[in-house]
Amino acid sequence: MNKLSLLKNGIIKENPVLILLLGTCPTLAVTTTAINGLGMGVSTMAVLICSNIVIAMLKNVIPDKVRIPCYIVVIAGFVTVVGFLLQAYAPAVNDALGLFIPLIVVNCIILGRAEMFASKNKVSDAAFDGIGMGLGFTLALFLMGSIREILGSGGWMNFNITADYIDPVAIFMLAPGAFFTFGCLVALINYLSKGKAIKKKEMGCEGCPSAVSCQLAGKGGCES
Amino acid sequence: MKEMIIILMSAILVNNFVLVKFLGICPFLGVSKKLDSAIGMSAAVIFVMVLATAVTYPIMSLLIHLNIDYLQTIVFILVIAALVQLVEIAMKRYVPALHKSLGVYLPLITTNCAVLGVCILNIDESYTYAQSLINSFGAGLGFMLAMVLFSGVRLRIENNDFPIAFKGIPSILIAASIVSLSFMGFSGVIDGLFGQ
């Protein structure tokens, strides 16, 4: 597949957060400020690219029956590495993201790409898919973080934007603001694409990290 | 005793896992459509959270003893996954009735961020073993409370006439935002009750 179209696919057509609606937990939790969203996005992207490359390299070695645990070990290894790098070189980001750094392991985007893409494609394609998806995730988190920071604190990346003439709406920095901002963004995409961009009409099995191994996923999901 | 109650109450209400800490959003949004499945799912989450904490806490002490505590993430996720699979197999074989109502949700929560999150959180907060178990139980109960409340809310909004762009997932997210807003009212309740 064309490398450029792989990148575009991850960033726009199949943006993991805004179109596929995956990885909702970090999207909602860490986007209190733009810089936190960026930090989370870059950390996840690093793990995603590395795990995609390694899994694509090992695709003929990993036995089919135990592939999910194998993927998880690879992913968890890279998450540990990224955690150490953040502790050493970006302690402020590390403190702000806290618990959500080890929880990159259970981010469904990474496991989903391993199962759906990396295990079936060439190493180079898997790497570009990781870059595309990672950039899409980073940009979406950065956007969410920017909206919440500007509305919630009146500033953006340490610049003062609207704080002088509009009172900041602090609720946007808190938990309800996260759900609200995300809901409005999804609605905006629905509106702009006339409901065509987002295929999912329910938060179903695709959003679940266990979907790849779950027996219910093929049969209408957990509700049935 | 007082300390235990404070941990339990703050895990359920003040630091609600779903609505305040954003852990376990996928099942919260995905399985809350019907009350039955919401209760089944959250019962399974409570069970797995307490079980996972009971097992991972001693393992962490072992890791620290061997000076390899940096392996925490890898070890925890594998132990939780293996444990839940084992429990599911045992339940299917010996208590099929329970497996039917609760066991089907078990594979879903092996890689749930709420379960791994509570195990890591207990270590980070340096709770004792008993405190960890209480905290996990409280986190699970908080999850159940949020799920049950939210499935009621979803039932009410299901047939409402939203603008087309807001139909489906956006409306669910906005509803979750309002439920989360109501939970913010609990933020000072522990200080008020126990005078800290």
Side-chain angles (χ1 to χ4, degrees), chain A residues 24-57:
Chain A
T24 23
C25 300
T27 308
L28 295 171
V30 302
T31 51
T32 45
T33 61
I35 201 81
N36 285 353
L38 200 62
M40 185 70 199
V42 171
S43 315
T44 310
M45 179 159 76
V47 176
L48 182 59
I49 296 170
C50 296
S51 70
N52 256 9
I53 292 175
V54 170
I55 287 164
M57 285 196 305

Side-chain angles (χ1 to χ4, degrees), chain B residues 153-162 167:
Chain B
V153 172
R154 280 188 68 173
L155 204 65
R156 298 278 298 196
I157 65 167
E158 199 167 5
N159 295 321
N160 282 13
D161 193 21
F162 292 107
K167 277 213 169 98

Side-chain angles (χ1 to χ4, degrees), chain A residues 84 105 176 190 202-203 210 223, chain B residues 30 34 37 108 111 154 165 177:
Chain A
F84 277 137
V105 178
N190 265 340
E202 291 281 336
M203 295 298 281
S210 313
E223 304 272 3
Chain B
K34 287 190 211 129
S37 43
L108 285 177
T111 50
R154 280 188 68 173
S177 153

Side-chain angles (χ1 to χ4, degrees), chain A residues 129-205:
Chain A
D129 180 69
I131 297 172
M133 284 283 162
L135 277 178
F137 185 69
T138 309
L139 289 176
L141 256 63
F142 185 63
L143 180 68
M144 274 276 289
S146 301
I147 295 174
R148 287 180 66 191
E149 192 176 357
I150 292 171
L151 291 175
S153 73
W156 184 71
M157 312 271 279
N158 293 331
F159 296 112
N160 192 347
I161 307 273
T162 58
D164 291 338
Y165 44 93
I166 303 174
D167 271 340
V169 193
I171 196 95
F172 274 95
M173 304 276 274
L174 301 170
F179 283 114
F180 188 75
T181 313
F182 194 44
C184 290
L185 270 180
V186 175
L188 182 70
I189 290 166
N190 265 340
Y191 179 73
L192 291 178
S193 70
K194 302 196 172 57
K196 284 189 195 115
I198 300 169
K199 302 274 187 306
K200 262 160 96 171
K201 298 298 167 212
E202 291 281 336
M203 295 298 281
C205 291

Side-chain angles (χ1 to χ4, degrees), chain B residues 32-104:
Chain B
S32 56
K33 206 174 165 193
K34 287 190 211 129
L35 188 62
D36 292 352
S37 43
I39 290 177
M41 180 78 188
S42 16
V45 166
I46 297 179
F47 178 69
V48 173
M49 273 182 169
V50 175
L51 193 69
T53 306
V55 174
T56 51
Y57 193 90
I59 288 178
M60 192 61 203
S61 316
L62 184 70
L63 290 181
I64 292 173
H65 181 69
L66 296 172
N67 218 1
I68 47 168
D69 47 332
Y70 59 88
L71 289 178
Q72 189 196 40
T73 315
I74 303 181
V75 172
F76 275 24
I77 186 79
L78 285 181
V79 165
I80 294 170
L83 182 78
V84 174
Q85 292 295 336
L86 269 179
V87 170
E88 201 228 339
I89 294 168
M91 201 184 262
K92 201 173 187 174
R93 172 77 179 77
Y94 296 109
V95 237
L98 191 62
H99 180 261
K100 215 173 173 191
S101 61
L102 193 146
V104 286

Side-chain angles (χ1 to χ4, degrees), chain A residues 71-158:
Chain A
Y71 299 161
I72 291 178
V73 174
V74 171
I75 295 167
F78 283 117
V79 169
T80 311
V81 172
V82 166
F84 277 137
L85 287 175
L86 282 179
Q87 263 174 39
Y89 297 109
V93 176
N94 188 53
D95 290 344
L97 301 183
L99 182 63
F100 281 87
I101 292 295
L103 288 184
I104 296 177
V105 178
V106 284
N107 188 318
C108 37
I109 300 170
I110 300 181
L111 197 59
R113 288 330 277 178
E115 169 79 4
M116 278 185 285
F117 197 91
S119 59
K120 292 176 189 132
N121 286 285
K122 284 200 309 232
V123 177
S124 56
D125 283 353
F128 273 93
D129 180 69
I131 297 172
M133 284 283 162
L135 277 178
F137 185 69
T138 309
L139 289 176
L141 256 63
F142 185 63
L143 180 68
M144 274 276 289
S146 301
I147 295 174
R148 287 180 66 191
E149 192 176 357
I150 292 171
L151 291 175
S153 73
W156 184 71
M157 312 271 279
N158 293 331

